[in-house]
């Protein structure tokens, strides 16, 4: 590169040199290494949007360049930095002295910067997606664990009920009739449907009565809590209490009753006047 190109570049750098008082020099290695090192530092500063610092490093890389290839790369980088900084006069003066191949290098620098920004955005989005997947996976594992615990508790209570029924003699020394057996089975089926979140929207008074006859042998404390209601509970309110007792959310209740969340909140408000719902949790 001829010396008449260096003169306007030095002049342009002196115009903005007062802005770079806080920039400290790095130790000077060999001439070729220094040019490459300063060029890398200029790129890193530019990617970090420290344009003033990037301009200083790019100019130093140009001044220390031992061959035309490094000079061209440094000038291309410096032109792009001027463009980013909005220094139109310095950019115009420099572009008038450059050869056509430097113009191509300027476009290469711009493409490299845009690619770097795109890679960073991609890394950011990938990180966000990974975090969301981890959170979703954790929530799913917690939900499955909760379901397993509820099923295990339900199975324990069913087994305990069977043991009690096998150990205790039937009252009045008589066998259960087929109707009583069917009613007991219906009570267990209703309880199972409630625990497993099945559709109970069509269940009414008959299912409630069967459930209340079966419930004492499954959970006596729950029966005692239901008995504290200030007025008789409707079938829906009874089923609601069992859902609350077994840890169902309002949304899960709405799915089982095939109704809206607002209807569940209304039922909860009415039920709270008859019974302290917090005693069920």
């Amino acid at each position: 590169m001829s010396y008449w190109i260096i003169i306007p570049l030095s002049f342009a750098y002196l115009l903005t040199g007062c802005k770079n008082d806080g920039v400290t020099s790095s130790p000077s290695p060999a001439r070729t290494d220094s040019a490459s090192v300063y060029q890398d530092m200029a790129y890193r500063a530019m990617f970090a949007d420290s344009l003033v610092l990037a301009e200083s490093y790019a100019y130093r890389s140009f001044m220390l360049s031992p061959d035309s290839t490094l000079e061209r790369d440094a000038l291309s980088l410096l032109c792009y930095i001027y463009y980013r900084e909005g220094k139109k006069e310095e950019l115009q003066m420099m572009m008038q002295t450059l050869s056509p191949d430097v113009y191509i290098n300027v476009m290469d620098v711009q493409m490299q910067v845009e690619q770097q920004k795109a890679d960073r955005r991609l890394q950011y989005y990938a990180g966000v997606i990974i975090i969301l997947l981890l959170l979703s996976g954790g929530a799913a594992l917690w939900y499955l664990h909760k379901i397993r615990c509820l099923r295990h508790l339900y199975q324990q209570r069913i087994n305990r009920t069977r043991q009690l029924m096998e150990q205790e003699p039937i009252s009045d020394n008589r066998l259960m009739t087929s109707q009583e057996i069917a009613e007991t089975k219906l009570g267990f089926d209703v309880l199972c449907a409630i625990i497993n979140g099945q559709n109970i929207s069509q269940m009414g008074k008959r299912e409630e009565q069967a459930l209340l006859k079966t419930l004492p042998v499954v959970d006596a404390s729950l029966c005692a809590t239901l008995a504290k209601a200030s007025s008789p509970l409707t079938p829906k309110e009874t089923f609601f209490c069992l859902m609350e007792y077994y840890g169902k959310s309002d949304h899960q209740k709405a799915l089982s009753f095939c109704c809206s969340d607002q209807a569940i909140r209304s039922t909860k408000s009415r039920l709270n006047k008859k019974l302290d719902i917090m005693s069920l949790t």
Side-chain angles (χ1 to χ4, degrees), residues 31-32 35-36 39 61-62 64-75:
R31 185 179 180 85
T32 303
S36 300
Q39 193 171 125
S61 175
F62 168 74
L64 294 173
S65 297
D67 54 57
S68 59
T69 301
L70 285 176
E71 284 181 358
R72 185 174 63 250
D73 293 342
L75 283 175

Side-chain angles (χ1 to χ4, degrees), residues 216-269:
V217 297
V218 176
D219 197 322
S221 61
L222 177 58
C223 290
T225 302
L226 295 177
K228 295 179 181 178
S230 59
S231 59
L233 301 178
T234 64
K236 186 174 183 179
E237 290 172 344
T238 301
F239 301 151
F240 187 99
C241 289
L242 265 73
M243 290 182 183
E244 190 74 21
Y245 182 76
Y246 285 106
K248 301 293 182 180
S249 65
D250 287 351
H251 183 65
Q252 290 173 319
K253 297 186 187 80
L255 292 177
S256 295
F257 283 122
C258 295
C259 65
S260 64
D261 292 347
Q262 179 61 39
I264 292 297
R265 287 192 289 270
S266 300
T267 302
K268 192 173 188 178
S269 177

Side-chain angles (χ1 to χ4, degrees), residues 43 69 72-77 79-80 95 98-113:
Y43 272 107
T69 301
R72 185 174 63 250
D73 293 342
L75 283 175
S76 303
L77 179 57
C79 287
Y80 183 74
M95 296 297 282
L98 298 179
S99 58
D101 58 339
V102 178
Y103 287 91
I104 300 176
N105 270 32
V106 173
M107 298 300 297
D108 291 340
V109 171
Q110 184 175 3
M111 291 178 61
Q112 184 176 352
V113 172

Side-chain angles (χ1 to χ4, degrees), residues 86-145:
K87 295 181 177 180
K88 297 181 180 180
E89 295 180 1
E90 291 86 342
L91 178 61
Q92 184 177 7
M93 182 176 59
M94 182 177 292
M95 296 297 282
Q96 290 175 353
T97 63
L98 298 179
S99 58
D101 58 339
V102 178
Y103 287 91
I104 300 176
N105 270 32
V106 173
M107 298 300 297
D108 291 340
V109 171
Q110 184 175 3
M111 291 178 61
Q112 184 176 352
V113 172
E114 295 301 327
Q115 182 63 39
Q116 180 74 13
K117 290 182 178 179
D119 291 342
R120 289 187 176 183
R121 286 195 296 268
L122 184 61
Q123 291 175 359
Y124 171 77
Y125 293 142
V128 171
I129 291 174
I130 290 174
I131 292 174
L132 291 176
L133 289 175
L134 290 175
L135 291 176
S136 301
L141 290 175
W142 173 83
Y143 180 77
L144 291 175
H145 175 72

Side-chain angles (χ1 to χ4, degrees), residues 13-76:
Y13 183 76
L14 289 174
L15 290 177
T16 56
C18 58
K19 299 179 182 179
N20 303 328
D21 294 338
V23 178
T24 58
S25 300
S26 301
S28 299
R31 185 179 180 85
T32 303
D33 293 341
S34 296
S36 300
V37 168
Y38 277 124
Q39 193 171 125
D40 292 340
M41 294 170 65
Y43 272 107
R44 287 197 296 269
M46 185 173 59
F47 292 148
D49 292 329
S50 301
L51 298 180
V52 176
L53 193 59
E55 178 188 343
S56 174
Y57 288 146
Y59 182 79
R60 294 182 188 183
S61 175
F62 168 74
M63 296 300 295
L64 294 173
S65 297
D67 54 57
S68 59
T69 301
L70 285 176
E71 284 181 358
R72 185 174 63 250
D73 293 342
L75 283 175
S76 303

